[in-house]
Amino acid sequence: MDRNTERYQRWLYGLILLLVLPALLINLGVLTLIDDEALRAWVALEMRLSDNYIVPQLHGAFYYKKPPVYNWMLLGVFQLTGSMDEWSVRIPTVAFLLLYCGTIYYFVRKHFSHEMAFLSALAFLTCGRILFYDSFLGLIDISYSWVTFLSFMVFYHLAARERWLAAFAGSYFLAAVGFLMKGLPSVVFQGFTIVAWLVYQKQFRRLFQWQHILGGLVFLAVVGSYYATYLQYNSLEELASVLFNESAKRTAGRYPLWFTLFHLFTYPFELLVYHFMPWGLLALYLFRRRSWTQVWQHPFIAFIFLTFLVNITVYWTAPKVHPRYVFMIIPLLFITLLYLHEQQKEDRPWPYRVTMKLLLFCCLILPPAALAPLFLERLQATPWLWAKSLSLFVAFSALAYGAWKFREARLLTIAAVLLVVRIAFNWFALPDRHANDFGDVVRKDALRVAQEYQSADLRVYKDTEWQPMTSFYMTREAGRIIPIDRETPDTSAYYIIDPKAYPFVPYEKQDELLMRHGGKVYDIVKF
């Protein structure tokens, strides 16, 4: 690498570090919560309102689908910020994402250069699914994935030093934390990873040694302590059934054979060509026989790629899975592909040439694209429209020149480009989406109903299907739990009822409540 490229690369490091926080934080709280975000916040809110931090509840009824650790984290954030607004629900995602990227850098740097470690972290941060979706949503998956990824790293690095007790105890402790966040998937990740690596290393006997048994006891102690406390409030029978069904409901046995076969064929393309672009392009290296030899030659790469392979099979064979379910293993794939890129870039094989040309093309088309907001009618009300578009044009032009001029730093340039694209997305797409979001209309209606019935006895009628976004905003605004009532209606109370679910129930309609999904409008009634 010549001196000019080194200077350019150092400049890129500084630029990227300056861009990360604006890219992740601008307009973070502008969108109305989606249901999955609201569900986590709602459970945390009802914990506070009920003063019961052990047993999750919704509308005052037991909630079994997720253990409570992430809700405890949210409660901590709510306490620190003094708010339960959209920003407070989402800031843990940003914090854990940065922590996750720092963890990737730390462990990759133990084996490879600063540049590769930095790129490995950036590849995860700037892949399409993370940067343009999950990084600005208050979901559990990034924090849970960080815990699981950390368990992989702890096991490998301690096992490599023959510290078997620490390797098993540390990874099982993290698996227990993961279990108390999301349930049974942690058992699968832990089991598949340890068994696969020990078989590969021809050390299967270690599964029956005291160090592994003690590690398993650490898991049981952590998880068992929580559920022993849980038993003081509720039985475990229904809880165990729901946790199992939550993990099994997306497996192949639940769907027709043709649907499963179609998923088997399309899933790699869905992940690499859609959700995790542009870094998924580097998977072209896997089509070279030489690449597979190089993977198994490096112990750390062999471990992470094997861990990726054995764990991705769970989702490859399971239709109807969300991309966020594999966030803990996607960095393993990116690290492997970047390693292959580094190993083969001197020879410039066809995957290298194809990838470099496609990435350069993307850089070259962005400067004119930066001017598009100036000509879009629905964006004309954007504050500082001209200044924002022109600044993006200048930034994209400079980075396009850098991508063309300094080929050896092109991947790093792409990471910087993607961060600038995210800032443009924050400036233009998020406010426009909010302005045209029916969900915001529903949110305002939920707040209106909560305010108007603040002093009333408001309940949910029997099995009326609730939608988490509406229920969270109503509960937060009311400052109290709105219970489900399955008994004979109280004539002095007001009830929220789905008229389509109960078409023959007589009542006096008092008001309406908008729902976000299914075109539903619920009635607020008295009996």
Side-chain angles (χ1 to χ4, degrees):
M1 185 181 295
D2 61 46
R3 186 169 298 177
N4 287 335
T5 303
E6 289 178 354
R7 281 199 296 265
Y8 173 71
Q9 192 161 289
R10 286 196 298 270
W11 176 80
L12 274 179
Y13 288 141
L15 176 64
I16 287 169
L17 292 175
L18 286 173
L19 290 174
V20 166
L21 286 182
L24 295 177
L25 294 178
I26 291 174
N27 284 330
L28 178 65
V30 71
L31 294 179
T32 298
L33 298 177
I34 64 172
D35 276 346
D36 282 351
E37 294 178 283
L39 183 59
R40 305 288 155 242
W42 181 19
V43 172
L45 173 57
E46 290 215 7
M47 283 183 167
R48 174 184 287 183
L49 293 174
S50 66
D51 200 29
N52 183 341
Y53 299 93
I54 302 300
V55 181
Q57 300 177 58
L58 295 176
H59 282 308
F62 292 126
Y63 172 71
Y64 298 108
K65 290 185 179 180
K66 294 288 186 295
V69 165
Y70 187 72
N71 305 113
W72 296 343
M73 296 176 184
L74 280 179
L75 283 169
V77 174
F78 295 161
Q79 186 67 29
L80 286 172
T81 62
S83 174
M84 284 179 270
D85 61 5
E86 291 79 5
W87 190 89
S88 297
V89 172
R90 290 169 179 150
I91 195 63
T93 293
V94 174
F96 276 108
L97 178 58
L98 294 174
L99 181 60
Y100 197 166
C101 292
T103 303
I104 294 169
Y105 176 87
Y106 173 80
F107 284 107
V108 176
R109 186 67 182 92
K110 286 178 172 289
H111 303 275
F112 302 107
S113 67
H114 164 75
E115 179 186 2
M116 182 173 165
F118 200 66
L119 270 175
S120 297
L122 282 174
F124 182 65
L125 175 66
T126 60
C127 67
R129 179 71 192 199
I130 293 290
L131 194 60
F132 298 105
Y133 193 74
D134 283 86
S135 61
F136 58 83
L137 296 178
L139 303 174
I140 191 175
D141 299 275
I142 287 177
S143 57
Y144 170 73
S145 297
W146 169 70
V147 170
T148 306
F149 177 85
L150 185 60
S151 74
F152 298 152
M153 296 298 102
V154 165
F155 173 73
Y156 172 79
H157 286 91
L158 290 173
R161 294 159 57 187
E162 297 287 320
R163 296 180 58 190
W164 290 104
L165 177 59
F168 288 127
S171 62
Y172 271 105
F173 172 79
L174 290 166
V177 174
F179 186 94
L180 293 178
M181 294 177 76
K182 208 172 180 182
L184 288 174
S186 290
V187 176
V188 176
F189 286 123
Q190 180 76 357
F192 278 28
T193 300
I194 287 179
V195 171
W197 186 240
L198 293 180
V199 169
Y200 177 80
Q201 292 285 88
K202 299 179 181 180
Q203 298 197 59
F204 188 73
R205 69 184 187 282
R206 294 201 177 273
L207 288 176
F208 307 99
Q209 294 180 344
W210 68 271
Q211 293 95 334
H212 182 247
I213 294 170
L214 191 56
L217 291 175
V218 168
F219 179 91
L220 292 175
V222 174
V223 174
S225 296
Y226 167 71
Y227 286 111
T229 308
Y230 184 99
L231 272 171
Q232 299 177 27
Y233 299 88
N234 190 28
S235 72
L236 296 178
E237 184 177 348
E238 186 170 355
L239 172 68
S241 174
V242 172
L243 286 177
F244 177 79
N245 286 331
E246 278 294 291
S247 299
K249 68 183 181 181
R250 301 182 190 277
T251 56
R254 301 289 183 96
Y255 297 92
L257 178 60
W258 69 266
F259 193 86
T260 301
L261 293 175
F262 180 76
H263 176 77
L264 286 172
F265 176 75
T266 60
Y267 188 62
F269 299 98
E270 179 186 340
L271 287 185
L272 299 174
V273 184
Y274 180 56
H275 292 294
F276 297 109
M277 285 289 278
W279 307 100
L281 278 174
L282 296 175
L284 292 173
Y285 282 108
L286 296 177
F287 288 95
R288 299 193 77 207
R289 184 180 302 175
R290 178 184 177 186
S291 296
W292 292 84
T293 302
Q294 290 175 325
V295 162
W296 305 117
Q297 286 175 343
H298 194 288
F300 179 61
I301 297 299
F303 169 77
I304 63 172
F305 193 56
L306 181 63
T307 301
F308 171 80
L309 289 177
V310 296
N311 285 294
I312 196 65
T313 56
V314 177
Y315 299 97
W316 199 343
T317 57
K320 293 286 187 181
V321 295
H322 293 294
R324 61 178 182 263
Y325 294 170
V326 296
F327 284 170
M328 66 291 297
I329 57 176
I330 288 300
L332 306 178
L333 177 63
F334 286 163
I335 296 165
T336 302
L337 298 178
L338 287 167
Y339 164 77
L340 293 174
H341 177 80
E342 287 295 311
Q343 292 295 304
Q344 300 181 33
K345 68 180 182 181
E346 295 299 324
D347 299 333
R348 296 183 185 175
W350 68 267
Y352 175 90
R353 296 193 302 273
V354 170
T355 301
M356 291 296 102
K357 288 178 181 178
L358 285 173
L359 294 179
L360 178 60
F361 173 76
C362 292
C363 290
L364 294 176
I365 63 174
L366 284 173
L371 301 177
L374 299 176
F375 306 98
L376 296 176
E377 183 177 350
R378 61 191 287 171
L379 296 181
Q380 295 309 300
T382 303
W384 300 92
L385 176 62
W386 279 84
K388 289 176 179 177
S389 289
L390 291 176
S391 63
L392 290 171
F393 175 80
V394 171
F396 285 136
S397 298
L399 290 168
Y401 174 77
W404 171 75
K405 178 74 173 178
F406 303 103
R407 180 173 53 196
E408 291 185 56
R410 190 168 294 169
L411 293 185
L412 201 59
T413 304
I414 286 295
V417 165
L418 288 166
L419 291 172
V420 177
V421 172
R422 170 61 191 271
I423 290 174
F425 180 83
N426 295 342
W427 280 345
F428 300 117
L430 290 181
D432 178 69
R433 184 182 297 180
H434 176 65
N436 296 279
D437 181 16
F438 177 66
D440 190 51
V441 176
V442 175
R443 177 185 68 87
K444 291 175 180 176
D445 195 55
L447 298 177
R448 174 193 66 81
V449 169
Q451 291 165 3
E452 292 184 5
Y453 293 85
Q454 181 75 46
S455 59
D457 183 1
L458 185 63
R459 310 177 189 181
V460 177
Y461 183 75
K462 295 189 176 180
D463 292 320
T464 292
E465 183 182 6
W466 41 261
Q467 295 187 11
M469 187 270 279
T470 296
S471 293
F472 166 70
Y473 281 115
M474 287 186 64
T475 304
R476 189 192 70 182
E477 189 67 17
R480 58 185 170 82
I481 293 172
I482 301 170
I484 296 173
D485 189 349
R486 292 188 171 86
E487 305 299 325
T488 302
D490 184 337
T491 55
S492 66
Y494 291 87
Y495 287 83
I496 301 170
I497 185 171
D498 180 357
K500 293 182 179 179
Y502 296 97
F504 304 113
V505 174
Y507 56 73
E508 296 178 8
K509 180 175 176 180
Q510 308 291 315
D511 204 341
E512 291 183 342
L513 176 64
L514 293 177
M515 292 288 115
R516 189 172 196 168
H517 305 294
K520 293 184 176 182
V521 179
Y522 286 179
D523 290 340
I524 299 175
V525 307
K526 294 196 78 171
F527 290 97

